[in-house]
Amino acid sequence: MTFFDLARRNVSRHWLRSVLAVIGIVIGVIAIATLGIMGNSIGLMFGDMVTDVGDTLVVSPATGVGGGKLTERQVDDITRAVGSNLVIPFASTADKISVGEKEGGAMLYAIPAGDMPSLLEVESGAYPRDTGAGCLIGSQLAANGRENGLKLGARVRIGDETLRVVGVLEERGMGFDINPDYAIVVPYSWYSSHYDEDGYDQVIVKVRDVNDLDAVKESIEQRMNRREDVVTVMDTRGILESVFAATDSITVFLMGIGAVSLIVAGVSILNVMLMSVTERIKEIGVLRSIGTRRSEVMRMFIYEALFLGLAGAVIGGALSFCAGYVVTAVFVGNADYLFDPTSLLYIVFGMAFGVITSVASGLYPAWKAAQLNPIQALRHE
Amino acid sequence: MPVISFEHVSKVYPLPAGDVVALDAVDIAIEAGEFILVMGPSGSGKSTLLNIMGSLDVPTSGEVTIAGNRISGMDDDDLTLLRRDHIGFVFQQFNLIPLLSVVENVEYPLILKARQNGSRERAEEVLEAVGIAETHFSHKPGELSGGQQQRVAIARALANDPDFLLCDEPTGNLDSKTGTAIMDLLDRMNREEGKTVVMVTHDPRMTEYADRTIRLVDGRVA
Ligand SMILES: Nc1ncnc2c1ncn2[C@@H]1O[C@H](COP(=O)(O)OP(=O)(O)OP(=O)(O)O)[C@@H](O)[C@H]1O
Ligand SMILES: [Mg+2]
C-alpha cells in the first residue's frame, strides 16, 4: 500500500468518471498519432515518387525572354559554363497520336538520341537513333496502352508521319526534370524537322559531383545572365527540400489539430481531478493530520493523473496503430508507410503527449490539495 | 522535562467583526505518562488548544514545546514530521480512510515513516492490542461499528509509538456503553503502556480516569 496504490484505488472507486476522462485522452492520442502518421506518409509517398534527382540542375528560359525557348547557341554557352558536366537539352510538346484505329493524346519529349542513355533506362528494346524514325514509350503508357496495341514494335502516327516503338522505358517516377512514364520520347532531330522548330524548352545539367552543384549553378548564371536574366536555374535538391518542408508543415498542422483534441482531454482530466480533490477534502485533512507531507499529498494526486494518462496512452496507442493502418491504406494508398520507423514514432509521440497532458492537467488540482489547511480540511463535511 | 509545554500561548483569529481570542495567555505543562482531561463550555478553545498541541496549528504568540521541539520557526514539513513521529490523533468522527482496509489504515502511518512496506505485522499487533479481531482486518472501515472504528483509529494513532495521544471528544459519537469501553482502552494504554493522553470531553464522568483536568473558560485556564 503506497501513494500509488491509493491513487489507483481512487481511480477505480470512480471508475465511470475515470473511464470518461480516459476516453478523452484516448481520442487525443489517436488524433495526434493518426494525423501525424498521415502527414508523415504523405511525405514518404513524395519521397518514393520523386526519383533521385539530387544531382540535377534544370535550366529554363527566364520568363518573357526569346519566346520561352533556348537557342542552340545558348545551349552551347551553357555547355561551356558547366565544364565537363553533362548537358542534355530537350523540348516537349503534347500532340495527338494514333495507333492503328485508336486515337489519343500524349506528351512528347524530344531529346538528342545520343543523350537518351544517360537520362533514361530502357526496359525492353533499344534506344532510337538520331537518323531513324524510332521512339520510346513510357512504362505507364505501355501498361495502359497494351490492349490498344501500343507496345514494343507498334507504329505510332503523329501528324502525317509514323514512328516505330523501338523501346519501352523503365518506370522512372515523378521527376522535376522530365516525367516520361506517361510520355513518348522521340529523337530531337525528328522533332526538329517534324515541327520545324530549332529551340529547346529546358536544359538538364547532370552534375558529376553533388558537392559542385552550387558552383555549377553559379557558373551558368554568371555566363548567361550577365546583362539581364536570360535563364533561371532550378536546383532540384533545393526544390526537394522545399517539398519536404511543405509536407513537414502539413504534418505539424495535422498534429496541431490532434493537439487541440488533447487539450480538450486535458481539461476533462483537470475537471475530474478537481472533483476528486473537492470530494476528498476531509480525507486530505486526515492524511495531513497523521503526518502526510504536502509533497506527498501532491504526489498522490499526480499519480492519479498519471494513472489516467497511462491508461489513455496505452489504449490510445493500440488504437492509433489500427487507425494509422486505415488512414495509410485508405488515404495514402499504401499501408507500408505505417510500419516505417518515422511513422511509428508518431504513435510514441502521441502516447507521450497523452501522458504529459494528463500529468500537466493534474498539477493544479494536486497543488490545490497540498495547499489545504489541515484544520479547515478536517472540519469539512 | 514535560512532553508538552505552553508558555503564555495565545491564539487570535482576526475577523472582520473583531478579533476572536480563542486562547488567552495559556500556561500548561504536561508530564510524560499523565492522563489529562480538557473540559469547558462550547467555544472555550478546547479544540484550538488540542490543535496547537498537535502541531496542526501554530499560536499567535507564546512559546510551545512539543516532545522537546520548540515549534516557533518550524515550517510546514517540520510540523508534519513532528505529527507523524511524536503525536497520535483520535477524532470524534473516527476519520478512517475509506479506501483502505482496517489493517491498511493502521499500516499507513508506519509506511509514511518507514517509507516501505512490510509493516503489516506491527499493524496487526496494534490492532490486536486494541481489541480488533483478526476477522475484521481486511474489512473496510464502513463495515465496522462505531466503537470498532474508534478502536481502529486508536490503533492507527498508536502505530508509530507516539509520545502522546490527542483525543478530541473520542466518545462523542458513541453510546455510553461503547464510550466507556473506549475510555477503558485509553486508560489501559495509559497505565500499561505509559502513553500520555490528552482528551477533550464534555462528560463529567470521565474525570475518574484522569490524573488532572484542565478547565478552559473563554480561552483561559480556570
Ligand atoms: N478558523 C477559525 N476562525 C475564526 N474563529 C475560530 C476559528 N476556529 C475557532 N474559532 C473560534 O475560536 C473559539 C474557540 O473555538 P474551539 O473550536 O477551540 O472551541 P471548542 O472549545 O472546541 O468548542 P466545542 O466544544 O464546541 O468544540 C470559538 O469562539 C471559535 O468560534
Ligand atoms: Mg471542539
Side-chain angles (χ1 to χ4, degrees), chain A residues 130-167:
Chain A
D130 250 334
T131 49
C135 70
L136 300 169
I137 56 174
S139 60
Q140 295 299 322
L141 194 62
N144 300 343
R146 193 161 296 135
E147 60 265 34
N148 299 337
L150 186 57
K151 56 180 194 239
L152 192 62
R155 286 172 185 282
V156 180
R157 270 193 87 74
I158 300 174
D160 55 1
E161 289 191 61
T162 304
L163 286 164
R164 179 183 285 276
V165 178
V166 296

Side-chain angles (χ1 to χ4, degrees), chain A residues 14 17 269-280 365:
Chain A
H14 298 289
R17 195 163 83 187
I269 294 269
L270 181 82
N271 193 29
V272 163
M273 295 291 297
L274 282 175
M275 268 160 81
S276 173
V277 170
T278 311
E279 284 170 358
R280 294 165 74 194

Side-chain angles (χ1 to χ4, degrees), chain B residues 42-43 45-48 92 168-169 200 202:
Chain B
S42 186
K46 304 183 296 294
S47 293
T48 305
Q92 184 176 352
D168 199 344
E169 301 187 42
V200 171
H202 284 290

Side-chain angles (χ1 to χ4, degrees), chain A residues 286 289 378, chain B residues 89-95 150 156 168-170:
Chain A
V286 175
S289 73
L378 271 172
Chain B
F89 274 100
V90 178
F91 304 93
Q92 184 176 352
Q93 329 267 357
F94 323 135
N95 286 350
Q150 196 60 302
R156 179 179 67 186
D168 199 344
E169 301 187 42

Side-chain angles (χ1 to χ4, degrees), chain A residues 120-271:
Chain A
L120 304 166
E121 297 287 338
V122 167
E123 190 176 74
S124 56
Y127 294 99
R129 275 169 297 150
D130 250 334
T131 49
C135 70
L136 300 169
I137 56 174
S139 60
Q140 295 299 322
L141 194 62
N144 300 343
R146 193 161 296 135
E147 60 265 34
N148 299 337
L150 186 57
K151 56 180 194 239
L152 192 62
R155 286 172 185 282
V156 180
R157 270 193 87 74
I158 300 174
D160 55 1
E161 289 191 61
T162 304
L163 286 164
R164 179 183 285 276
V165 178
V166 296
V168 176
L169 292 170
E170 271 182 12
E171 183 170 350
R172 191 170 187 267
M174 196 172 75
F176 286 104
D177 46 3
I178 57 174
N179 295 296
D181 286 353
Y182 290 91
I184 295 178
V185 179
V186 300
Y188 184 79
S189 53
W190 179 88
Y191 164 88
S192 177
S193 66
H194 180 79
Y195 291 102
D196 193 17
E197 168 71 68
D198 58 4
Y200 297 94
D201 288 308
Q202 285 176 319
V203 173
I204 297 166
V205 179
K206 288 266 179 208
V207 181
R208 245 180 272 282
D209 184 346
V210 183
N211 297 319
D212 291 345
L213 206 71
D214 290 331
V216 172
K217 183 178 176 187
E218 189 88 347
S219 161
I220 296 171
E221 279 169 343
Q222 260 177 15
R223 191 176 189 104
M224 306 301 293
N225 297 344
R226 217 167 306 167
R227 276 185 301 274
E228 51 170 340
D229 276 2
V230 177
V231 297
T232 52
V233 185
M234 284 197 308
D235 167 357
T236 51
R237 192 180 51 184
I239 293 169
L240 258 188
E241 274 162 13
S242 60
V243 166
F244 285 129
T247 62
D248 277 355
S249 47
I250 292 172
T251 307
V252 168
F253 173 75
L254 289 175
M255 284 178 59
I257 297 172
V260 169
S261 70
L262 207 51
I263 288 170
V264 173
V267 171
S268 91
I269 294 269
L270 181 82
N271 193 29

